[in-house]
């Protein structure tokens, strides 16, 4: 092992955290050259469950796992961490409006942004998984005054994976045959899964499917996939979300296998308002995230992108007092 990497996971006793931790500890996220020092943050009512998770991690005897610290204190959890996976968030309760959910999560991500700013490594990479991920990320980055905006991301690789799988199934191809697909905007029902530059086995995707399937089946399926999973199994996505988070951070720290999708703080690319946390088609190389700049977007695509941008503007305006 060449180094020890300190990794913080919030909401560590939840379903996504549980599905994620053992894969991180095994080296699947960063590889066998990194020893792992885990910092696991939970709320006080979940600490008994978290202690059970820690015992299971110990019982696996992972060669790479050097240390595990369970805590309720964000300052302790984020002390000198190199990677922070912000999974824990307040779920929407009965009768809650989206603005209520944004406000409830505002306190969590305000606190965590400040704690990261005060305690984390100056080179920390932060991924927000907890929903509403884009605006939770916006709150965190604006409260992390000593960190750069490009150190914060929100997760849309799960949506990217879902879109790749749907297109591969439709065209009777393997997922590895799908290239250059992209998710734009918010991780919400307004996200835009875009096929205009996508290919399957080198053939333009839109030459292999009908426009009706694209607009009436594919886009709604990707947008509503999380709700479909909840309806089917009674709980939200866990293993697939954990898998996406691991892929996201592995790509960011090393290299992505071609085009994928990540939400980053916009610098005005494609005319999107600067400062929003917006999903773009990106590539990762050498630890950097680069937006692909040459996508050709027709009027349909531009309208869909403006719709999801407008939702993010409305969410930002609803929590502007937290920024």
């Amino acid at each position: 092992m060449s180094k020890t990497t300190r990794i913080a996971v919030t909401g560590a006793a939840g379903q996504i955290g549980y599905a994620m931790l053992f894969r991180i500890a095994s080296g699947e996220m960063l590889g066998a050259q990194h020893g792992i020092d885990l910092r696991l943050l939970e709320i006080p009512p979940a600490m008994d469950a978290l202690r059970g998770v820690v015992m299971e991690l110990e019982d696996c005897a992972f060669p790479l796992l050097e240390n595990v610290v369970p805590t309720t204190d964000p300052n302790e959890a984020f002390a000198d961490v190199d990677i922070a996976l912000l999974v824990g968030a307040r779920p929407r309760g009965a009768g809650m409006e989206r603005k209520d959910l944004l406000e409830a999560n505002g306190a969590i991500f305000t606190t965590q942004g400040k704690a990261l700013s005060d305690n984390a490594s100056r080179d920390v990479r932060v991924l927000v998984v907890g929903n509403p991920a884009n605006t939770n990320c916006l709150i965190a980055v604006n409260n992390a005054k000593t960190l750069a905006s490009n150190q914060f991301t929100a997760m849309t690789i799960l949506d990217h994976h879902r879109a790749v799988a749907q297109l591969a199934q439709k065209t009777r191809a393997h997922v590895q045959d799908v290239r250059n697909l992209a998710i734009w905007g918010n991780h919400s029902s307004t996200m835009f899964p875009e096929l205009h530059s996508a290919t399957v086995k080198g053939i333009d995707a839109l030459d292999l499917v009908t426009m009706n399937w694209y607009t009436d089946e594919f886009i709604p399926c990707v947008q509503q996939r999380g709700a479909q999973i909840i309806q089917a199994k009674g709980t939200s996505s866990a293993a697939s979300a954990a898998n996406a988070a691991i892929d996201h951070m592995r790509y960011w720290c090393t290299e992505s296998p071609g085009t994928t999708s990540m939400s980053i703080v916009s610098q005005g690319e494609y005319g999107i308002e600067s400062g929003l946390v917006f999903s773009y088609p990106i590539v990762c190389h050498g630890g950097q995230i680069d937006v692909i700049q040459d996508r050709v977007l027709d009027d349909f695509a531009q309208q869909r992108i403006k719709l999801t941008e407008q939702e993010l503007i409305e969410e930002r305006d609803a929590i502007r007092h937290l920024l």
Side-chain angles (χ1 to χ4, degrees):
M1 294 181 293
S2 62
K3 63 170 292 188
T4 297
T5 302
R6 297 181 180 90
I7 302 173
V9 179
T10 74
Q15 290 189 70
I16 297 174
Y18 185 78
M20 182 188 298
L21 289 174
F22 299 88
R23 296 176 64 183
I24 294 172
S26 73
E28 189 171 342
M29 188 168 77
L30 296 177
Q33 72 275 24
H34 291 265
I36 303 296
D37 182 341
L38 282 176
R39 312 295 178 84
L40 309 182
L41 182 66
E42 262 298 358
I43 58 175
M47 285 305 290
D48 284 343
L50 183 57
R51 280 187 282 270
V53 173
V54 172
M55 287 188 276
E56 285 199 79
L57 284 165
E58 293 169 347
D59 292 349
C60 289
F62 289 116
L64 297 176
L65 185 58
E66 299 177 3
N67 188 41
V68 184
V69 178
T71 182
T72 60
D73 180 0
N75 294 303
E76 182 181 18
F78 297 142
D80 299 319
V81 295
D82 305 294
I83 290 171
L85 303 168
L86 307 187
V87 179
R90 169 75 182 273
R92 180 179 288 185
M96 287 183 71
E97 302 284 344
R98 191 170 180 87
K99 64 180 181 180
D100 299 324
L101 182 64
L102 291 167
E103 188 71 30
N105 277 296
I108 296 171
F109 287 89
T110 296
T111 297
Q112 292 183 1
K114 290 176 179 177
L116 284 162
S117 183
D118 292 342
N119 298 283
S121 162
R122 296 302 84 187
D123 298 319
V124 66
R125 300 168 193 259
V126 182
L127 168 60
V128 177
V129 177
N131 287 319
N134 293 61
T135 298
N136 286 344
C137 182
L138 181 70
I139 294 167
V141 68
N142 278 275
N143 282 278
K145 303 298 185 184
T146 67
L147 299 174
S149 63
N150 64 3
Q151 293 176 254
F152 286 77
T153 58
M155 192 171 80
T156 44
I157 284 184
L158 176 55
D159 310 301
H160 188 99
H161 286 169
R162 287 167 169 169
V164 166
Q166 292 299 315
L167 180 59
Q169 289 175 20
K170 178 65 175 178
T171 57
R172 298 183 179 180
H174 192 277
V175 292
Q176 291 183 330
D177 297 326
V178 177
R179 294 284 186 272
N180 294 328
L181 183 150
I183 302 294
W184 296 81
N186 198 5
H187 175 67
S188 76
S189 60
T190 69
M191 77 178 79
F192 175 49
E194 181 244 313
L195 296 184
H196 291 79
S197 298
T199 62
V200 182
K201 298 181 181 178
I203 302 170
D204 289 347
L206 291 179
D207 289 340
L208 299 174
V209 301
T210 67
M211 186 56 67
N212 284 342
W213 177 83
Y214 178 38
T215 59
D216 299 341
E217 296 186 42
F218 173 76
I219 292 174
C221 178
V222 177
Q223 291 174 332
Q224 300 294 335
R225 186 68 166 184
Q228 292 170 356
I229 290 170
I230 292 172
Q231 184 176 12
K233 73 185 191 76
T235 56
S236 59
S237 306
S240 57
N243 178 72
I246 288 168
D247 283 351
H248 179 117
M249 195 56 68
R250 183 173 66 252
Y251 297 163
W252 190 1
C253 292
T254 56
E255 185 172 353
S256 61
T259 302
T260 188
S261 303
M262 292 183 182
S263 290
I264 62 172
V265 179
S266 170
Q267 302 300 314
E269 300 92 342
Y270 290 92
I272 300 303
E273 185 167 334
S274 296
L276 296 176
V277 177
F278 195 89
S279 183
Y280 287 103
I282 62 92
V283 291
C284 296
H285 181 73
Q288 300 296 316
I289 299 171
D290 294 318
V291 176
I292 296 172
Q293 299 282 359
D294 58 353
R295 304 283 281 207
V296 177
L297 302 169
D298 65 7
D299 289 343
F300 172 78
Q302 292 181 39
Q303 289 169 6
R304 291 290 181 132
I305 289 169
K306 282 298 179 185
L307 180 67
T308 194
E309 179 191 20
Q310 184 58 40
E311 182 182 53
L312 283 168
I313 290 170
E314 291 170 1
E315 289 186 9
R316 180 206 57 199
D317 291 347
I319 50 83
R320 191 182 287 276
H321 59 290
L322 300 173
L323 305 180

